[in-house]
Every structure is written in structure tokens, then in C-alpha cells.
């Protein structure tokens, strides 16, 4: 039985991550929101520290690279492992700034993809390197199964062609995990992920996007023109298994979606704390011992915002714990991502309403957080896609039966 409290064994990790968020991220948060595309040089000195936090205490970690595949399949051990520790660290760091976390070297979503599905040789070969993840294409939107980038076997290599957009940390990362299909006629079962080295001939950066939020993080677009990638860089099973379908590459999302939910939770908590401070300074009393109906409208709304946050937090802890214990968590990962993403956006916008001019002006980080919040409801699968996945799991429907 899972205990849905933050594990005590990760208390030191959470404290370290919170100090980084408070002392480093928060003071430069506005600076790099305004200086979009400038690399936050202050993060270089933190890279080795975060690596140490990821390695410290065995499974304990603070960033995306810390996720793994949990306990051995035949183990009866009930454990809190690398997925849960990474979640705890991410929640604390995103209390400081989401864009700056996404700009941390070696903490890209591509790193979590490698950690989730790579074999032992690949884990060792790509260890300590910064990896972005390239899934989205101009024509496929949120449907990962509609990917049109191709990978054609050529001797000991694959030749990749296609176009990728909205690649988080794509310009700064050393590696990019590219999703491509081995055969368009087979469908989703033929989609595989490949680790592409930056600088590989034909792998061209097209542009960096100007964005609503998370401006400290670079978001890139790439074109792949006859990019030759060694076959040993294919993550997971190279065989096309129609019966297994899309499950191989989708395993990545079972690990990364709780992390993105954790990013949303960290930001939500920051918004709630600042909103409480503003409300109390204005004389609003929030009384948990009194019925909500007897309190002011502002207090009642704030209590509701906190309740949404808490429910999202518990769902997310459950999804990460299940990954650590090798329990199928696709349903729970999507539920956590959907709930946390929507809650983050709702809470951030309600905070602007409650705080008025204080929330709308650049004198507070609330307006920035409201802009940052939206991406957490979009990337790693939009709100609508998560709800579709949840419906399929609950109803026992395939993607062909419920679209």
C-alpha cells in the first residue's frame, strides 16, 4: 500500500533542491524571462551539484535524468526509488523557476527517455550527457502516432529524414532523442526513438522559438536531411512488433509525465504561497476551522485552489511510486499529468484575479508564473490527449476504437 506523503528518506534532497530554487533560480527568474534565448550562465556552477544530488543516496536524484525503471520485476520489495526522488527534486526546483530547470545541463526530457528505455550499454555510453527529446512535427500535433519522420536501415546505420519542432533545450543539449517511423504503412508499431549526436551531418537547427512562457529555456526546430545514425543508438527493441504496438516508445511517457506533473505542482505551490501572502496583507482571513460558506469569497476560492493542488500532488506521487515498483502506471501517469497541468493553469489565472494589479504587473512573479503555467498543460501530451488516454484505459478501448 502506498503512503501518499513525501518520503522522509528524501527530506535532505528536497531541502537541497529548495535551497537551489530559492538562492539561485528565484533571483534570476525575471532576468532570463526578459532576456529570452540568453543562456543562464549561473546554472553552470549548479550542474555538478545537481549531478551529485542525482547520484547521492543511491537512487536519490533531483532532475529528469534520475528516473529509471524501478525495482526488479520479480522483487516483492515496496520501495521509493529514483522516479519518486526525481519527482520530489523537480517539484522543489520548479517552485523556483520552470524554465531554469529545463535549462539545467543533463536534466533534459531526453535524459529521462534514455533512463526509461535504454539498455545497459547505452546507459553507460550516454551517461553524463545532456539530451533533449524531439517528438512533435508540424503535421502531427499532439498525436505521437502520426509521426512522419522516417528511419531507413542502411547496413549498421539508420538514415533519418523529417522535421521536428518545439524541441525543449534542443539548441543547448548535446544529444537529441528523435522519434521516427521504420515503416509508415505499419503505423504506430513501427515508431522508434533514436539518439542523435549534435553536429551529425544533415541535422540542422532551423530556428529558436519566441514563447509565451518558460523563456529561460530554448525551444528549437530541426530539419533532418539524410542523417546517418548508428544502429546501436536505437533505444529499446529494434524489431517491429505489431501486437505490442506503440508500447515500447510510449514507456518513456509513463516515466516523464509524472515529472512534468511535478513541474506543474512546484509552480502551483509557488503561486499559492505568493497569493496567500498578498491576500493576508490585504486583510483576508483564511480559516480552515470554519465552513467555507461562512468565509469571504477570496478565502473560499483560495481554499478550493489548495484542494485542487493537493489532489494533483497525491495523483502524481502515486504515478511515480508505481513506476518505481514496476507497476503499470500509464493510466495514473496520464491522470496526474492532466490534473496537475489543468490545476496549474487554473490556479495561476485565479491568482491573477484575486491579487488584481499586483498579480498583473511585473512587480510580482505572479504574471510570469501565469505565462509559464500554460506549457505544463501542453507538452508531454496536451490536456485533451491525457483525457483520451484515461478514457481508453478505463473503457478498455484501443486507439482505433476511441479516437
Amino acid at each position: 500500500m502506498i503512503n501518499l506523503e513525501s518520503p522522509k528518506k528524501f527530506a535532505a534532497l528536497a531541502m537541497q533542491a529548495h535551497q537551489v530554487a530559492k538562492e539561485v533560480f528565484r533571483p534570476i527568474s525575471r532576468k532570463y524571462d526578459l532576456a529570452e534565448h540568453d543562456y543562464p550562465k549561473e546554472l553552470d556552477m549548479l550542474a555538478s551539484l545537481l549531478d551529485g544530488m542525482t547520484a547521492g543516496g543511491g537512487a536519490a536524484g533531483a532532475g529528469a535524468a534520475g528516473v529509471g525503471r524501478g525495482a526488479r520485476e520479480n522483487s516483492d520489495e515496496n520501495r521509493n526509488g529514483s522516479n519518486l526522488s526525481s519527482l520530489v527534486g523537480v517539484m522543489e526546483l520548479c517552485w523556483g523557476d520552470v524554465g531554469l530547470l529545463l535549462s539545467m545541463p543533463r536534466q533534459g526530457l531526453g535524459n529521462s527517455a534514455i533512463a526509461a528505455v535504454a539498455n545497459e550499454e547505452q546507459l553507460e555510453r550516454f551517461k553524463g550527457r545532456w539530451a533533449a527529446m524531439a517528438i512533435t512535427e508540424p503535421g502531427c500535433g499532439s498525436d505521437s502516432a502520426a509521426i512522419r519522420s522516417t528511419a531507413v536501415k542502411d547496413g549498421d546505420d539508420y538514415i533519418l529524414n523529417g522535421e521536428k519542432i518545439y524541441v525543449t533545450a534542443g539548441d543547448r543539449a548535446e544529444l537529441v532523442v528523435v522519434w521516427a517511423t521504420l515503416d509508415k504503412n505499419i503505423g504506430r508499431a513501427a515508431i522508434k526513438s533514436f539518439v542523435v549526436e549534435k553536429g551529425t551531418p544533415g541535422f540542422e537547427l532551423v530556428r529558436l522559438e519566441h514563447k509565451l512562457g518558460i523563456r529561460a529555456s530554448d525551444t528549437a526546430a530541426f530539419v533532418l536531411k539524410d542523417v546517418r545514425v548508428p544502429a546501436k543508438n536505437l533505444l529499446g527493441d529494434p524489431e517491429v512488433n505489431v501486437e505490442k504496438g506503440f508500447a515500447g516508445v510510449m514507456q518513456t511517457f509513463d516515466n516523464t509525465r509524472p515529472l512534468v506533473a511535478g513541474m506543474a505542482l512546484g509552480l502551483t505551490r509557488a503561486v499559492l504561497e505568493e497569493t496567500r501572502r498578498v491576500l493576508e496583507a490585504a486583510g483576508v482571513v483564511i480559516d480552515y476551522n470554519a465552513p467555507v460558506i461562512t468565509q469571504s469569497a477570496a478565502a473560499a476560492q483560495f481554499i478550493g485552489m489548495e484542494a485542487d493542488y493537493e489532489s494533483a500532488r497525491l495523483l502524481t506521487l502515486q504515478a511515480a511510486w508505481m513506476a518505481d515498483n514496476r507497476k503499470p502506471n500509464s493510466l495514473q501517469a496520464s491522470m496526474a499529468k492532466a490534473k496537475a497541468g489543468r490545476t496549474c493553469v487554473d490556479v495561476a489565472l485565479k491568482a491573477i484575479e484575486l491579487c488584481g494589479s499586483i498579480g498583473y504587473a511585473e512587480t510580482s512573479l505572479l504574471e510570469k508564473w501565469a505565462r509559464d503555467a500554460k506549457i505544463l498543460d501542453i507538452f508531454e501530451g496536451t490536456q485533451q490527449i491525457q483525457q483520451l488516454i484515461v478514457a481508453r484505459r478505463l473503457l478498455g478501448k484501443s486507439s482505433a476504437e476511441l479516437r
Side-chain angles (χ1 to χ4, degrees):
M1 177 71 72
I2 180 175
N3 180 356
L4 291 175
E5 295 290 334
S6 296
K8 292 181 180 179
K9 66 183 283 189
F10 301 140
L13 166 72
M15 182 180 68
Q16 286 180 304
H18 186 75
Q19 285 301 112
V20 170
K22 180 180 178 181
E23 304 297 335
V24 182
F25 282 12
R26 281 283 182 96
I28 62 174
S29 183
R30 179 67 71 184
K31 173 183 175 181
Y32 287 103
D33 179 60
L34 297 173
E36 188 174 12
H37 299 156
D38 284 2
Y39 175 67
K41 293 183 174 60
E42 294 89 342
L43 300 184
D44 287 338
M45 65 179 179
L46 290 175
S48 58
L49 171 63
L50 197 55
D51 288 341
M53 291 165 67
T54 300
V67 300
R69 287 160 288 187
R72 295 187 304 275
E73 199 134 11
N74 60 352
S75 173
D76 294 327
E77 180 184 8
N78 184 348
R79 63 181 237 148
N80 297 323
S82 59
N83 288 277
L84 201 52
S85 67
S86 294
L87 173 63
V88 169
V90 162
M91 287 167 62
E92 292 297 335
L93 290 169
C94 287
W95 175 90
D97 191 273
V98 176
L100 290 171
L101 170 69
L102 293 170
S103 299
M104 284 294 298
R106 296 177 293 282
Q107 299 302 323
L109 291 172
N111 290 103
S112 58
I114 292 171
V117 296
N119 59 39
E120 294 302 321
E121 184 276 331
Q122 291 170 330
L123 288 172
E124 184 61 31
R125 182 154 47 94
F126 299 130
K127 183 179 179 180
R129 304 186 69 185
W130 190 357
M133 189 154 64
I135 302 174
T136 308
E137 298 178 2
C140 75
S142 292
D143 185 4
S144 299
I147 284 171
R148 291 294 175 262
S149 292
T150 60
V152 178
K153 190 74 184 300
D154 183 26
D156 293 331
D157 300 321
Y158 285 94
I159 308 298
L160 273 58
N161 283 280
E163 184 177 354
K164 294 293 179 180
I165 58 175
Y166 301 132
V167 182
T168 302
D171 185 37
R172 298 169 185 166
E174 305 165 69
L175 311 169
V176 180
V177 178
V178 176
W179 288 30
T181 179
L182 300 180
D183 188 339
K184 293 180 182 178
N185 296 320
I186 293 178
R188 61 183 61 219
I191 294 174
K192 303 292 180 180
S193 53
F194 301 82
V195 178
V196 181
E197 300 257 359
K198 293 291 287 295
T200 301
F203 190 46
E204 302 176 6
L205 174 68
V206 177
R207 66 182 179 276
L208 295 178
E209 306 289 355
H210 293 281
K211 307 186 297 295
L212 173 72
I214 59 166
R215 291 177 178 171
S217 170
D218 67 301
T219 303
F222 291 97
V223 169
L224 296 91
K225 299 178 181 177
D226 296 326
V227 177
R228 185 172 290 272
V229 178
K232 63 182 181 180
N233 283 22
L234 186 152
L235 298 176
D237 187 356
E239 299 300 319
V240 176
N241 187 333
V242 177
E243 292 183 3
K244 186 177 180 182
F246 206 25
V249 289
M250 287 302 288
Q251 182 183 349
T252 298
F253 285 143
D254 295 343
N255 289 63
T256 59
R257 280 174 176 157
L259 285 185
V260 177
M263 295 177 191
L265 291 172
L267 178 54
T268 304
R269 198 180 101 220
V271 172
L272 287 170
E273 290 178 4
E274 178 64 11
T275 303
R276 173 189 283 277
R277 187 191 66 79
V278 173
L279 291 178
E280 290 180 344
V284 175
V285 176
I286 301 168
D287 185 355
Y288 296 100
N289 294 316
V292 171
I293 197 171
T294 66
Q295 300 188 55
S296 68
Q301 189 168 40
F302 183 83
I303 291 171
M305 291 156 65
E306 284 190 318
D308 273 347
Y309 163 77
E310 189 63 24
S311 60
R313 188 183 73 87
L314 295 179
L315 277 171
T316 304
L317 286 171
Q318 180 189 33
W321 177 87
M322 292 177 72
D324 277 335
N325 290 275
R326 282 194 179 273
K327 297 179 182 292
N329 74 330
S330 180
L331 170 63
Q332 289 77 12
S334 287
M335 289 172 67
K337 168 64 170 63
K339 177 63 176 177
R342 183 173 64 229
T343 295
C344 187
V345 173
D346 288 349
V347 167
L349 292 179
K350 287 176 182 176
I352 299 295
E353 294 176 10
L354 289 174
C355 297
S357 60
I358 295 175
Y360 199 70
E362 287 189 354
T363 52
S364 165
L365 286 172
L366 282 171
E367 67 83 25
K368 177 189 181 299
W369 292 336
R371 289 186 285 107
D372 288 346
K374 188 55 190 175
I375 191 60
L376 298 169
D377 198 32
I378 297 176
F379 70 0
E380 290 293 285
T382 64
Q383 176 73 211
Q384 294 78 12
I385 287 295
Q386 303 307 327
Q387 292 183 31
L388 185 58
I389 293 170
V390 170
R392 288 170 182 164
R393 295 290 184 273
L394 292 177
L395 298 174
K397 302 288 186 180
S398 68
S399 57
E401 294 173 311
L402 186 59
R403 303 175 66 87

